[in-house]
Amino acid sequence: MLSTRMNNLHPYVPGEQPKDRVYIKLNANENPYPPCREVIERASSFIRENPKALSLYPDPDSLSLHKAIADMLNQTGGVLCRAQIDGKNVSPAEEDKIPFQVTPDMIYTGNGSDEVLSFVFYAFFSSNEKLTLPEFTYSFYPVYAGFYDIPMETIPMKEDWSIDTEKLLAKAKENNSGIIFANPNAPSGLGLSRNEVRQMLLKANPEKIFVVDEAYCDFGGESSIPLLKEFKNLVIVRTFSKSLCGAGQRLGFIVASPELVNAVTTVKNSLNHFPLDALSQVTGEEACKNACYYADCAKKVCKERDSFISFLKEKGWFVNPSQTNFVLAKSPKMPGKEVYEFIKKHGILVRHFASKGIEDYVRITIGTEEEMKALKDVINLM
Ligand SMILES: *Cc1c(COP(=O)(O)O)cnc(C)c1O
């Protein structure tokens, strides 16, 4: 009864979302903080004051949202944890300043960056070219490759878990293909500098799309947004799920040239003309207008992360440096699976990956100070 296409589907397995008991969730890189008060108020007043907004179709172009996203990127430079906060105003750190204005026609939004990524795969990667990507990066990419019947070639990580940029480029050249990776990368937590990405772009085929997934950039990466004017093949994917406390909202976006934004919009309009619901549009817009709050959350997460890394190191763990809201770490005492089970028994969920090469590690999302204190207490029992 099933189509032959179904054989290519190997669905993504997300971090577990158990309903049987209340765990402290440090397994899906969600933000431990709620959205800001303004977002909550806007959501309730939006429904109360315009009930018809839910019975009529929403703005298909999401214009106000795209304008708010562009403004936020200009104000923060795309790295919240380094943005300077002055009351309600934010400004980018010197090194993050974008040397041009990001405009609304450079933004495309969709239902979480997972959906956005799927449309990016459809628009830019073909079944007659082997898409080239690092061996360990966001594990949803191979899922889309299967879905759209795009062959892949993966490049092993360097010894220190960083992306082997030379090999990645050489293989992409050989395969005459596009490139995709996350920066900072998951689950390694490591980032490439903007200059490293620029050097890659200078050597890559300018006719092939180069996708940088910046889901974690706000926690200390270097954004490639300033490179957009120089490289017309660059597509940057971002999400509200991590740094904008909005995983439940399902809001992701790309930043790219208007031409590439139009291509992705064509894919969307061929599938579902109205994928972003009215409520997500206004709550997303309101979040962007309150970048000061989210910058403060990102700073708290980074501070907690750095202190947690020091704690683990004192306990003899191996920990990767991290520019994200999680750490990839290896216990000196137990294999990854046992660490995961031990911590779960004590009411906290972390993520363990069974794949070869990473099975000794666990990936731990950074929570609030209280949550990290609880986790440290459990680790002290090991
Ligand atoms: C979490 C994550 C996403 C998915 O984000 P959503 O917007 O929630 O779909 C995409 N890419 C990377 C690298 C991620 O870690």
Side-chain angles (χ1 to χ4, degrees):
M1 276 188 281
L2 299 179
S3 71
T4 49
R5 236 184 261 125
M6 287 291 289
N7 297 331
N8 290 335
L9 295 191
H10 306 283
Y12 179 73
V13 183
E16 59 198 309
Q17 308 277 357
K19 309 210 166 35
D20 57 326
R21 81 180 251 203
V22 181
Y23 289 93
I24 295 178
K25 272 193 92 263
L26 303 176
N27 68 336
N29 296 344
E30 292 140 315
N31 201 301
Y33 298 103
C36 66
R37 194 168 31 81
E38 287 83 351
V39 165
I40 298 175
E41 274 165 19
R42 179 87 184 264
S44 43
S45 72
F46 176 73
I47 298 177
R48 217 179 313 109
E49 288 161 25
N50 327 276
K52 279 196 83 174
L54 295 186
S55 49
L56 300 178
Y57 284 115
D59 173 10
D61 302 317
S62 310
L63 262 185
S64 316
L65 174 61
H66 292 185
K67 183 168 181 315
I69 291 173
D71 287 347
M72 172 188 65
L73 294 173
N74 291 321
Q75 282 163 24
T76 62
V79 190
L80 282 169
C81 77
R82 282 194 295 268
Q84 285 151 15
I85 309 176
D86 178 15
K88 284 245 1 155
N89 291 326
V90 273
S91 52
E94 198 54 41
E95 68 264 38
D96 296 320
K97 275 189 184 147
I98 304 172
F100 54 85
Q101 286 288 308
V102 178
T103 48
D105 58 355
M106 296 168 70
I107 308 293
Y108 165 87
T109 45
N111 277 284
S113 61
D114 285 342
E115 187 197 71
V116 171
L117 280 162
S118 137
F119 293 168
V120 164
F121 269 65
Y122 188 92
F124 304 122
F125 300 142
S126 309
S127 52
N128 55 359
E129 291 155 9
K130 274 195 217 161
L131 174 65
T132 314
L133 67 168
E135 179 182 3
F136 287 101
T137 185
Y138 187 36
S139 48
F140 221 131
Y141 308 147
V143 177
Y144 298 125
F147 189 90
Y148 292 118
D149 206 9
I150 298 162
M152 294 186 320
E153 178 155 6
T154 57
I155 308 302
M157 312 312 285
K158 286 193 187 163
E159 200 70 359
D160 66 355
W161 277 101
S162 63
I163 293 175
D164 193 332
T165 57
E166 291 296 324
K167 284 218 182 88
L168 191 65
L169 275 173
K171 269 294 168 200
K173 274 245 154 97
E174 202 179 303
N175 294 335
N176 192 31
S177 78
I179 288 181
I180 185 167
F181 59 91
N183 189 40
N185 199 17
S188 72
L190 303 176
L192 296 171
S193 70
R194 176 156 56 247
N195 190 44
E196 285 172 300
V197 176
R198 183 168 178 272
Q199 294 308 321
M200 288 177 81
L201 279 156
L202 284 171
K203 291 180 204 151
N205 182 344
E207 301 299 320
K208 295 290 166 184
I209 293 292
F210 191 109
V211 182
V212 183
D213 182 343
E214 294 191 342
Y216 299 106
C217 194
D218 278 318
F219 299 106
E222 290 189 19
S223 177
S224 295
I225 293 173
L227 304 176
L228 280 169
K229 285 276 136 100
E230 192 180 355
F231 300 100
K232 296 300 172 199
N233 57 333
L234 175 59
V235 173
I236 294 165
V237 180
R238 299 186 64 122
T239 176
F240 279 58
S241 295
K242 314 288 164 53
S243 53
L244 293 168
C245 309
Q249 266 178 304
R250 308 310 303 131
L251 251 176
F253 60 98
I254 70 172
V255 198
S257 72
E259 292 71 28
L260 299 184
V261 163
N262 283 340
V264 179
T265 307
T266 300
V267 177
K268 179 207 77 164
N269 288 344
S270 309
L271 193 73
N272 179 355
H273 192 32
F274 291 109
L276 254 197
D277 66 273
L279 194 57
S280 289
Q281 292 193 29
V282 292
T283 49
E285 181 193 337
E286 197 62 39
C288 293
K289 289 183 173 163
N290 288 280
C292 52
Y293 171 84
Y294 297 97
D296 186 52
C297 293
K299 288 174 199 291
K300 285 194 279 204
V301 167
C302 291
K303 186 164 160 247
E304 215 42 62
R305 173 194 67 205
D306 295 342
S307 103
F308 185 58
I309 290 176
S310 310
F311 166 83
L312 287 179
K313 286 189 171 160
E314 277 165 30
K315 290 265 150 197
W317 287 51
F318 171 83
V319 199
N320 261 1
S322 170
Q323 298 184 344
T324 63
N325 67 339
F326 61 84
V327 296
L328 186 69
K330 186 160 72 170
S331 155
K333 294 191 183 148
M334 303 177 190
K337 187 148 192 297
E338 279 175 41
V339 173
Y340 156 81
E341 280 161 1
F342 185 93
I343 296 176
K344 182 171 179 179
K345 210 168 58 201
H346 290 85
I348 302 177
L349 291 176
V350 299
R351 190 90 196 259
H352 174 251
F353 300 94
S355 328
K356 203 172 162 351
I358 198 167
E359 70 274 35
D360 291 343
Y361 292 78
V362 286
R363 189 196 70 187
I364 304 171
T365 305
I366 303 302
T368 60
E369 190 179 346
E370 296 70 38
E371 290 170 334
M372 298 317 284
K373 166 84 175 47
L375 177 59
K376 287 176 192 168
D377 288 346
V378 174
I379 289 173
N380 279 328
L381 299 173
M382 284 178 142

